[in-house]
Amino acid sequence: MAASRTNLRLVFQRREKITALPLYYDGFLWKKGSKDKDFQRYWSELRGNSIFFYCDEKESTYTEKLDLQHFVSIRDDSSKEKGSQAANFRLQLANEEVKLKAESAETREEWKGYISVVCQLELPSDLSLLPGQVLQLGDVVEQEKGRQSAAAVGPKSQNYIVEKPDPDVYDDVLPTMPECFYDISRNEAEAMMERHPESGSLMLRPSTEKNNYSVTTLTTYDSKRVIKHYKVTCEESGFVICLDYPVKCNTLQQVVDHFIKETNGTLKPYLDSNMYADRIVLSKGQKKSVPMSRVAPIQLSVPPVDYSSSSGRMQKSSESPKKLPIKPERSSRVPANIKPEPSYMNNEFLSKTNQFNMAGDRPPSRTPPKPGSPQNFIAGKGENDELLAKLKERRAKLAEDL
């Protein structure tokens, strides 16, 4: 979605640069001229006192241009033809009549209102518009009056009226280069068109003669690409396209428009789309660096020790350390030469015995351990006799279970 919005913004900027006129209203229109058999759908823009027709909404170069300088009237179409007539209207010019059809009756009223105000420079009274739409038309009237008055001022008198001309106000008066102009040679123009034919088929460049220009075109005949060059001379009154019948133009943009109009939009201005990159790409072998975070080492907190005791002993801090589990200590009175008592896993042995009984098998025989020799115990001492008696009793119980 973001990419499509960016492309539409670039298309709008190119249209604004090519036409050099302010945009007042736009939308889809169906147009049928005096030489047309049926209506054709165009994306239409009302810029200044002209209507520019484009093949679609994403096309940056217009295919047709309708000047409203010879405007006579505009009215609804009441003729009985095929199709719905709810959104049809007629535009009467001095030299022809153009039939137009909007998307709906509401948009038809808006088109009629905007066309009327740029041609008559006053608000129409016979249109059914909302108050907000009437306010917008009033702003267009003031803007178009300022534009036309600025266009009527000659270049010599501008220096006395305005010290620093505002480019926004005099955008359509000051000479500007078309977007398809490139300061390159004849061979470079041919190479660019052959390398990128999708970028356009019409290019304006400087001529080898001083102060003159050349138009380079790329067309296709019998599946072959043909490149032609046309000479454009610069004169005091403007520019002249050197053809069998020379064509005079006031600006270089009119020179480009003449080629587009004569070829019915087949020739399109060459717009180099490779001037700017559309993505950020790393070179081969270059890896994207990832920032590494630094981790501080873990520091164990050791409780401080107080050495200020008068007795010279170390005293612990007020914080009490964690208590560790205390293991039972053996009696110091047990002789050291007594062998450690073997550990028995009675519960585990009993569970295994029950498993054998349930299965109907006889458990494996187990020989009870022989009692330790009583010579290891010191006779005459009560504690040793008591331990020996307990040991004998536990061994007797184990033998009974078996």
Side-chain angles (χ1 to χ4, degrees), residues 265-280:
T266 303
L267 293 178
K268 296 183 179 181
Y270 186 93
L271 303 176
D272 189 4
S273 59
N274 298 320
M275 294 178 62
Y276 300 97
D278 56 354
R279 63 180 62 184
I280 301 174

Side-chain angles (χ1 to χ4, degrees), residues 191-335:
M192 289 177 63
M193 284 193 167
E194 290 179 351
R195 192 181 301 114
H196 301 287
E198 71 280 357
S199 298
S201 55
L202 174 63
M203 183 183 297
L204 181 67
R205 59 179 179 83
S207 177
T208 54
E209 299 179 2
K210 189 176 181 180
N211 298 330
N212 291 337
Y213 297 89
S214 296
V215 174
T216 302
T217 61
L218 175 64
T219 54
T220 303
Y221 293 103
D222 297 334
S223 302
K224 294 182 180 180
R225 296 177 181 175
V226 179
I227 296 180
K228 294 184 179 181
H229 304 273
Y230 299 88
K231 184 177 180 181
V232 179
T233 59
C234 181
E235 299 182 357
E236 294 182 357
S237 58
F239 302 91
V240 177
I241 305 175
C242 298
L243 302 173
D244 294 337
Y245 298 95
V247 179
K248 294 183 179 181
C249 302
N250 295 327
T251 62
L252 290 174
Q253 184 61 52
Q254 291 184 3
V255 174
V256 175
D257 295 342
H258 177 77
F259 280 89
I260 296 173
K261 184 177 181 181
E262 290 298 319
T263 58
N264 295 325
T266 303
L267 293 178
K268 296 183 179 181
Y270 186 93
L271 303 176
D272 189 4
S273 59
N274 298 320
M275 294 178 62
Y276 300 97
D278 56 354
R279 63 180 62 184
I280 301 174
V281 182
L282 297 177
S283 59
K284 294 184 178 179
Q286 183 180 0
K287 296 183 179 180
K288 186 177 180 180
S289 59
V290 180
M292 304 295 291
S293 60
R294 296 182 178 181
V295 181
I298 301 175
Q299 298 180 357
L300 298 177
S301 59
V302 181
V305 181
D306 186 10
Y307 298 95
S308 61
S309 175
S310 59
S311 60
R313 298 180 180 178
M314 293 188 299
Q315 295 183 359
K316 297 181 180 179
S317 62
S318 59
E319 297 181 359
S320 60
K322 295 181 179 180
K323 295 182 180 181
L324 298 177
I326 301 175
K327 296 182 179 180
E329 297 181 357
R330 294 183 179 181
S331 175
S332 60
R333 291 177 291 181
V334 179

Side-chain angles (χ1 to χ4, degrees), residues 19-278:
T19 59
L21 292 171
L23 176 63
Y24 294 142
Y25 194 72
D26 58 2
F28 285 104
L29 278 179
W30 285 259
K31 174 181 172 294
K32 181 180 179 181
S34 56
K35 299 180 181 180
D36 299 330
K37 295 181 179 180
D38 199 358
F39 284 94
Q40 295 183 359
R41 184 173 181 263
Y42 296 97
W43 175 259
S44 309
E45 291 185 348
L46 178 62
R47 291 180 175 271
N49 55 354
S50 300
I51 302 177
F52 296 87
F53 298 96
Y54 300 86
C55 294
D56 53 37
E57 191 177 359
K58 298 180 181 179
E59 189 71 27
S60 58
T61 306
Y62 61 89
T63 58
E64 292 187 29
K65 177 183 177 182
L66 185 63
D67 291 326
L68 304 177
Q69 298 177 357
H70 304 288
F71 171 82
V72 177
S73 63
I74 186 171
R75 57 187 175 85
D76 294 342
D77 190 358
S78 58
S79 62
K80 296 181 180 180
E81 296 181 359
K82 294 182 180 180
S84 175
Q85 308 298 324
N88 291 21
F89 61 100
R90 294 192 178 194
L91 180 61
Q92 182 65 49
L93 303 177
N95 53 352
E96 65 174 332
E97 183 184 49
V98 181
K99 296 180 181 180
L100 300 172
K101 181 170 63 174
E103 295 181 292
S104 62
E106 291 77 8
T107 55
R108 179 198 61 184
E109 293 299 309
E110 290 186 89
W111 274 110
K112 290 169 58 179
Y114 280 96
I115 294 175
S116 298
V117 297
V118 298
C119 295
Q120 300 176 352
L121 298 180
E122 61 181 5
L123 292 175
S125 58
D126 56 344
L127 297 178
S128 56
L129 298 174
L130 298 175
Q133 295 173 339
V134 175
L135 291 177
Q136 292 178 356
L137 292 179
D139 296 338
V140 172
V141 170
E142 299 299 328
Q143 187 175 356
E144 183 63 15
K145 285 181 178 180
R147 190 194 69 84
Q148 293 187 12
S149 61
V153 178
K156 293 184 179 180
S157 58
Q158 286 184 11
N159 298 331
Y160 297 97
I161 298 175
V162 183
E163 295 181 359
K164 294 182 180 181
D166 188 358
D168 295 334
V169 177
Y170 300 98
D171 189 31
D172 58 334
V173 181
L174 299 178
T176 57
M177 280 294 179
E179 193 174 7
C180 59
F181 172 80
Y182 296 92
D183 190 4
I184 55 178
S185 64
R186 180 191 185 110
N187 295 333
E188 291 174 340
E190 293 179 354
M192 289 177 63
M193 284 193 167
E194 290 179 351
R195 192 181 301 114
H196 301 287
E198 71 280 357
S199 298
S201 55
L202 174 63
M203 183 183 297
L204 181 67
R205 59 179 179 83
S207 177
T208 54
E209 299 179 2
K210 189 176 181 180
N211 298 330
N212 291 337
Y213 297 89
S214 296
V215 174
T216 302
T217 61
L218 175 64
T219 54
T220 303
Y221 293 103
D222 297 334
S223 302
K224 294 182 180 180
R225 296 177 181 175
V226 179
I227 296 180
K228 294 184 179 181
H229 304 273
Y230 299 88
K231 184 177 180 181
V232 179
T233 59
C234 181
E235 299 182 357
E236 294 182 357
S237 58
F239 302 91
V240 177
I241 305 175
C242 298
L243 302 173
D244 294 337
Y245 298 95
V247 179
K248 294 183 179 181
C249 302
N250 295 327
T251 62
L252 290 174
Q253 184 61 52
Q254 291 184 3
V255 174
V256 175
D257 295 342
H258 177 77
F259 280 89
I260 296 173
K261 184 177 181 181
E262 290 298 319
T263 58
N264 295 325
T266 303
L267 293 178
K268 296 183 179 181
Y270 186 93
L271 303 176
D272 189 4
S273 59
N274 298 320
M275 294 178 62
Y276 300 97
D278 56 354

